[in-house]
Amino acid sequence: MAALKTLGDWLDNSGWTAALEQANIATSGKADSFLKAMYAELVMLTKFLHVRSMS
Amino acid sequence: MHKAFVAEDRNDTTTIEAWRLQRESESPQFHFWSMTLRLEVAVLLFVKALREGNFQLYIESLAKIAPRFFALDHPNYARWLPVHVRDMLDLQRNAQDVAEHFRNGYFVFNKTSHCFSSMPIDQAHEQNNKLVKDEGGAIGLTENPMQLLRWMISGSEIAQLVKEFETTLTQSNTKRDSVLHHKQTKSTQTQFRQQVIDLCASFVDLGNPFEEYSQDLLAIGTNDIADDKVKNTVRRIEQLGIDQYNTYVSERLESTSKHIMEPIKQNKLALFSRQPTKGVITGSKKLQIASLKQNCTLFSQLYISCQVREGNLDEFFAHENTSFPPALSQFGQLRFGTKSDLLGCLETVEMSQVKEPPVNALAMDGAVIVNMLKPSGCVT
């Protein structure tokens, strides 16, 4: 699903990475790379959400 | 968004959905982030559908995402995703057995018994390819056809043997009965909870986009105002994508008035990352601006340090203070200049003679003579 980088195109330069950086979730470079591979980030997030909903 | 909804002073009977629609029409900033939230939820549902093998959710989430491929110019996905969605929807009519299996979760692949760990079949293929390739892959084998053929035949068998051997070794250490996801641990939950809290706090610090009332579209953090064309994109992208998706389906899949391979027109919408530039800046101009900015930073730093150390500013600025003096170099390259430019300087030192002076003898440089001779039939 490389096409999910569509979401990355949409969010690029919007300040999304700044928010991730300020929250200490990712460094600046890592947050930028999330935009290039938004799928990886979303898979991670969905896993977390699943874990959370199961608990 | 919920925080902004609770904080706002309004009629209590308003539902969050009605409030969202109203606020979207009022503020482009709200509209952008509300739309992003919806898109992210759609993608999260798609990932959930794959991980859980939920076929119905898979189709629904794909249909929700597909219009965005049209709007954001991804022609290959835009062309084939509607076909895939339509095929999957027609499966019940065309192939009941397959539809039944897919509904039972067989459209994804389970490598383990862990829950929420199914993966799409193509991803499983990729993982198997990696197992077969092992370390180094097919590098070096491609030039030797016999060797490559041997590797292609035996590779999968060897990978299977290795896997079985590893399984017998690790069998005693693994909890075979466990069906929990490998990240379903307390520490992961705590970490995730903290990250969600931090991210929300970070959005509030940088300026909650859902509490924005101006007519501007801003980049969070920098507060740079986006171009009006980006604002226009935010206003129309959703409807544009849906319209193009519907037109595509009706023209190419239902009425077939157009061939499926006919080009899909690109929208080239302005986004935060693709804002229209004001005035075209050429390469040399760009370099000049960069150089000026660099000089500005350097001089301000040196000026401040000179003041702090009580240095003589006149003396300081009498010298060239860059590592590559601008008199000798430009944009990191040595200035070659034109030799005849020197004449201007020399004329100020000595007046040039217009008339030929009387001479008794003529001395000529060897190189001059070589240039004077005709190439054919001459010797030196």
Side-chain angles (χ1 to χ4, degrees):
Chain A
M1 282 306 285
L4 291 179
K5 101 177 184 40
T6 315
L7 195 51
D9 293 345
W10 176 247
L11 285 172
D12 199 6
N13 287 349
S14 67
W16 172 251
T17 51
L20 286 178
E21 203 182 329
Q22 177 151 331
N24 286 326
I25 293 171
T27 57
S28 156
K30 203 172 174 183
D32 272 338
S33 74
F34 279 167
L35 294 179
K36 305 285 178 294
M38 205 69 189
Y39 182 61
E41 185 189 8
L42 286 164
V43 168
M44 186 185 78
L45 182 61
T46 327
K47 274 178 190 167
F48 281 134
L49 289 172
H50 163 75
V51 171
R52 186 96 188 112
S53 62
M54 288 288 114
S55 60
Chain B
M1 186 190 277
H2 186 258
K3 201 173 258 183
F5 176 69
V6 174
E8 196 172 296
D9 186 24
R10 60 175 196 285
N11 183 4
D12 282 339
T13 54
T14 318
T15 60
I16 191 164
E17 192 55 29
W19 172 78
R20 181 182 65 77
L21 288 172
Q22 190 203 332
R23 290 284 291 116
E24 274 183 5
S25 64
E26 286 169 4
S27 159
Q29 181 79 344
F30 187 102
H31 199 173
F32 177 85
W33 286 101
S34 166
M35 214 157 31
T36 306
L37 202 60
R38 283 203 298 280
L39 186 60
E40 289 220 10
V41 169
V43 178
L44 288 175
L45 285 175
F46 173 72
V47 177
K48 185 181 181 198
L50 289 175
R51 293 283 169 259
E52 291 182 345
N54 185 338
F55 189 61
Q56 188 60 33
L57 186 60
Y58 169 75
I59 299 298
E60 284 170 12
S61 52
L62 265 189
K64 268 188 188 167
I65 298 167
R68 204 47 76 96
F69 294 129
F70 282 90
L72 289 172
D73 302 333
H74 285 264
N76 292 328
Y77 288 97
R79 193 185 309 280
W80 294 112
L81 205 58
V83 177
H84 178 63
V85 171
R86 192 178 161 83
D87 283 349
M88 294 300 107
L89 286 172
D90 286 348
L91 215 53
Q92 182 62 34
R93 194 155 40 91
N94 298 333
Q96 281 189 6
D97 284 355
V98 179
E100 187 60 31
H101 276 83
F102 277 8
R103 271 200 301 276
N104 290 333
Y106 290 105
F107 72 103
V108 286
F109 186 79
N110 288 298
K111 283 185 100 173
T112 63
S113 57
H114 294 190
C115 64
F116 207 72
S117 299
S118 308
M119 64 176 90
I121 293 166
D122 60 325
Q123 194 182 348
H125 276 306
E126 293 294 342
Q127 290 197 359
N128 280 344
N129 284 349
K130 189 174 182 297
L131 280 177
V132 173
K133 278 179 183 169
D134 202 35
E135 275 180 36
I139 297 167
L141 297 179
T142 44
E143 288 172 11
N144 187 341
M146 278 307 292
Q147 195 70 25
L148 183 66
L149 199 62
R150 207 173 293 154
W151 175 78
M152 282 166 71
I153 294 166
S154 63
S156 57
E157 298 295 327
I158 291 170
Q160 192 182 345
L161 285 172
V162 171
K163 181 77 185 161
E164 280 173 12
F165 176 68
E166 282 176 352
T167 314
T168 51
L169 275 182
T170 54
Q171 207 166 19
S172 55
N173 299 330
T174 50
K175 296 175 190 169
R176 292 186 64 80
D177 297 334
S178 171
V179 289
L180 298 179
H181 186 269
H182 66 280
K183 283 195 174 171
Q184 200 165 341
T185 59
K186 196 180 175 192
S187 62
T188 314
Q189 290 175 39
T190 315
Q191 188 196 20
F192 178 62
R193 187 170 176 274
Q194 193 53 49
Q195 284 183 344
V196 171
I197 293 168
D198 289 345
L199 188 62
C200 289
S202 154
F203 267 106
V204 171
D205 277 357
L206 295 169
N208 188 349
F210 298 111
E211 287 177 347
E212 183 63 47
Y213 287 88
S214 72
Q215 287 302 308
D216 294 323
L217 182 63
L218 311 163
I220 289 181
T222 56
N223 282 341
D224 288 343
I225 297 174
D227 194 89
D228 279 351
K229 285 185 178 168
V230 184
K231 207 158 75 176
N232 192 25
T233 299
V234 173
R235 290 300 192 201
R236 58 192 277 261
I237 190 168
E238 218 163 17
Q239 197 51 47
L240 180 75
I242 292 169
D243 289 347
Q244 287 184 333
Y245 178 80
N246 290 338
T247 312
Y248 182 89
V249 171
S250 76
E251 281 181 353
R252 308 195 192 201
L253 304 180
E254 287 169 356
S255 69
T256 59
S257 58
K258 266 190 179 178
H259 192 269
I260 201 158
M261 293 309 288
E262 269 191 45
I264 297 171
K265 203 180 169 194
Q266 297 214 338
N267 298 312
K268 292 182 180 166
L269 296 173
L271 301 173
F272 271 110
S273 55
R274 296 201 300 240
Q275 295 200 48
T277 47
K278 286 170 186 161
V280 182
I281 302 171
T282 56
S284 64
K285 224 172 194 179
K286 219 181 246 181
L287 282 172
Q288 218 166 354
I289 292 168
S291 160
L292 281 172
K293 277 184 183 169
Q294 207 177 349
N295 285 346
C296 201
T297 321
L298 179 77
F299 285 134
S300 60
Q301 282 172 352
L302 292 175
Y303 181 77
I304 292 164
S305 60
C306 211
Q307 276 189 326
V308 173
R309 294 177 189 179
E310 294 175 359
N312 185 345
L313 279 175
D314 290 334
E315 194 189 345
F316 170 73
F317 280 109
H319 301 280
E320 284 189 333
N321 301 301
T322 50
S323 47
F324 303 104
L328 298 176
S329 72
Q330 191 181 24
F331 311 137
Q333 284 184 336
L334 199 65
R335 279 179 199 272
F336 290 112
T338 316
K339 213 188 272 179
S340 59
D341 288 348
L342 289 172
L343 285 174
C345 307
L346 291 174
E347 274 176 348
T348 56
V349 182
E350 197 172 338
M351 286 298 289
S352 60
Q353 281 185 323
V354 183
K355 215 175 159 186
E356 191 183 337
V359 290
N360 296 326
L362 197 64
M364 276 197 273
D365 191 8
V368 174
I369 297 166
V370 169
N371 277 302
M372 281 168 66
L373 295 171
K374 283 187 179 174
S376 58
C378 64
V379 286
T380 53

